[in-house]
DNA sequence: TTAATAGTGTCTGTCAGACACTATGTG
DNA sequence: CACATAGTGTCTGACAGACACTATTAA
C-alpha cells in the first residue's frame, strides 16, 4: 500500500462576513506550491496526528491561519477528484464559517484579505466552485432560517438584523413580516438596555442570540417577508 | 511523506427503495476485515487509478457490488475522523441512491439484502449514523421537492406517487393539494395510455418523469398537502 | 416643534387544506 | 345497477405582504 493509493485529504474553508452591506470572503496568500503567492481559500491538509475529525482540522486552520476562534462552522460539501489538484487525486472537505461583523477588524494581516464575493473573479484549484456553493447555500438558508444571526455582533437591534438579511437576499423585506418570523424562530432574546448613539430617533431594543442557539440553527416553514 | 499522513478514503452508499410501503436500505455482506461477514452499507475504497471523482467511485461500487446502473445518486455528507475506523484516520464520502420499486427484484443475491430502515438496529463503523442522516435527508426533501419520483417505476399514476409520498412522510396527504403541487413542480408528464388491471374502477392516467428531470430535482416554495 | 427610526394594529388577497361532487371503469 | 377509484370545483380559515399609525428619542 503506497501513498499513491491514498488520496490527499484537505480542508478548505469559506469564511464569510458582511462588510459595508455586502458579503465578503476571506482569502489567504498561499505560501507553498502550487499557486504559491496566490490568493486562495484558507485551507490545509488534515493532520491525522493532531486532528480528531474534519471539523477539528477546520478549527485548527481557522485558529492558526486566520486567528479566529470558534465561529459558526458547518460542513458544506466534499470535492473529490483526480483533476482538481495537479499533485494527484485529492479530497477537499469544504466547510463554511460565518464571522460576526465586529470580529473582522481584529483579523487582518499581510497573509489575509477580505474581498467582496461578487468581485472575486478567479481562484486556484476549484475554489471558485467551492465559494459559489457556499454563497448559494448561505443565501438559500437565509430564506427560511436563522443562519444570519451568526453574522451579528454580540448585541444588535432587529433593524440591524433585517439589514443583514436584506443584504444577503439582495431584496427589501417587510418590517412587520420580518419581525413576525424572527419571533417565531425564537433564536434571539431581548437584552436589558437600549441603543441610542445613532442620533435623533427613538432608541431600539437590543437583542442577542439565545445562548443555546449559538451553534444551532432554527428553520421556519415558510418565507420571510420578501416583497413582491 | 508516508502513507500514515494520508487518511484512508472510502465511499459508502445508502441505497434506498420502497418495499411494501416502507423504506428499505440495501445492506451488503462484508468480505474483508474488519467486520468480515457482517452486514454493512455497500461501500469501498476510492480507486485513484480508476475513478475520476467520488461520484464515479460510487457508480463503480453500485455497479460491481450491487449490480445497479445509474440510479439517482447524490452526495450526502462526509464522515471523517480518527476514530470511525480502527485502521486509522479515515474519510467516508457518503452518498445516497434512490432505486425504483421494480428494480429491486432484479437485485438480489447472497451478498445483498434489503432491510426496512426502521428495523435496522446496528451497523458496523458509523454506518448507523450515515443511514440516519440519509433517511432524514430523504424524508425532509420529500416535504418540498420532487425527490421521491426517483423511487417510481417507468410509469405510474398520481395515486401511486401520492402513496409513495405518504409512506415517506408517514402521514396522509390531501389529494387536491398533492396534485396541485406535483403539477407546479412540473417534473412528471402524462403518457398516452391508461391503467386498468387494478379492477372495478375508473382507469388512471399514467405519468413518467420528464426526461430532462431524471437526474435533477425540483423544489417547491411551500409544503405539500400535509393534513393537520 | 421637526426629524428620524422603533415598534404595533389591522386590512386584504392568496392559497393550503378540506371535502363534496362528477367521471369512468368493472362486474 | 352498485362499487371503487380517478379527477375536479369550490369554500374557508389562516397568514404573508402591505401599509398606516403610534411611540420615543435628539436637536
Amino acid at each position: 500500500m503506497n501513498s499513491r493509493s491514498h488520496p490527499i485529504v484537505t480542508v478548505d474553508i469559506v469564511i464569510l462576513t458582511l462588510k459595508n452591506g455586502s458579503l465578503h470572503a476571506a482569502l489567504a496568500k498561499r505560501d507553498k506550491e502550487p499557486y504559491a503567492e496566490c490568493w486562495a481559500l484558507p485551507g490545509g491538509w488534515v493532520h491525522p496526528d493532531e486532528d480528531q475529525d474534519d471539523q477539528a482540522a477546520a478549527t485548527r486552520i481557522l485558529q492558526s491561519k486566520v486567528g479566529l476562534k470558534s465561529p459558526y462552522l458547518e460542513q458544506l460539501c466534499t470535492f473529490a477528484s483526480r483533476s482538481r489538484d495537479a499533485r494527484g487525486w485529492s479530497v477537499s472537505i469544504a466547510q463554511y464559517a460565518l464571522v460576526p461583523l465586529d470580529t473582522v477588524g481584529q483579523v487582518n494581516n499581510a497573509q489575509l484579505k477580505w474581498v467582496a464575493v461578487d468581485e472575486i473573479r478567479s481562484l486556484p484549484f476549484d475554489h471558485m466552485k467551492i465559494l459559489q456553493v457556499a454563497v448559494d447555500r448561505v443565501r438559500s438558508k437565509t430564506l427560511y432560517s436563522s443562519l444570519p444571526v451568526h453574522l451579528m455582533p454580540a448585541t444588535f437591534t432587529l433593524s440591524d438584523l433585517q439589514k443583514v438579511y436584506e443584504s444577503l437576499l439582495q431584496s427589501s423585506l417587510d418590517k412587520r413580516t420580518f419581525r413576525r418570523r424572527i419571533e417565531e424562530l425564537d433564536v434571539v432574546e431581548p437584552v436589558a438596555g437600549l441603543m441610542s448613539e445613532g442620533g435623533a430617533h427613538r432608541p431600539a431594543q437590543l437583542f442577542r442570540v439565545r445562548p443555546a442557539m449559538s451553534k444551532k440553527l432554527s428553520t421556519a416553514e415558510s418565507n420571510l417577508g420578501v416583497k413582491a
Side-chain angles (χ1 to χ4, degrees), chain A residues 29-100:
Chain A
K29 192 181 273 184
R30 289 180 58 82
D31 53 1
K32 286 183 233 158
E33 291 293 344
Y35 298 106
E37 304 300 311
C38 288
W39 294 98
L41 294 178
W45 296 50
V46 164
H47 292 179
D49 298 332
E50 300 173 54
D51 306 324
Q52 188 65 38
D53 55 27
D54 57 317
Q55 188 137 356
T59 303
R60 173 179 54 76
I61 289 165
L62 278 169
Q63 174 70 279
S64 64
K65 288 209 182 181
V66 192
L68 280 172
K69 257 196 164 153
S70 71
Y72 179 86
L73 182 67
E74 193 180 336
Q75 199 186 95
L76 179 64
C77 189
T78 295
F79 296 78
S81 80
R82 174 187 292 153
S83 55
R84 60 179 300 279
D85 187 325
R87 287 170 289 182
W89 224 100
S90 79
V91 175
S92 166
I93 307 173
Q95 331 231 357
Y96 70 97
L98 300 187
V99 175

Side-chain angles (χ1 to χ4, degrees), chain A residues 94-151:
Chain A
Q95 331 231 357
Y96 70 97
L98 300 187
V99 175
L101 301 157
D102 53 1
T103 317
V104 181
Q106 309 156 24
V107 176
N108 241 325
N109 59 56
Q111 310 307 314
L112 198 80
K113 67 174 179 180
W114 295 91
V115 185
V117 296
D118 295 334
E119 286 164 14
I120 300 175
R121 295 273 168 268
S122 78
L123 289 173
F125 307 109
D126 50 3
H127 286 191
M128 270 313 278
K129 178 101 188 226
I130 298 177
L131 175 67
Q132 190 62 53
V133 173
V135 170
D136 289 351
R137 174 82 60 92
V138 169
R139 293 218 159 111
S140 151
K141 284 205 171 188
T142 298
L143 275 171
Y144 60 89
S145 86
S146 66
L147 187 65
V149 299
H150 302 293
L151 290 169

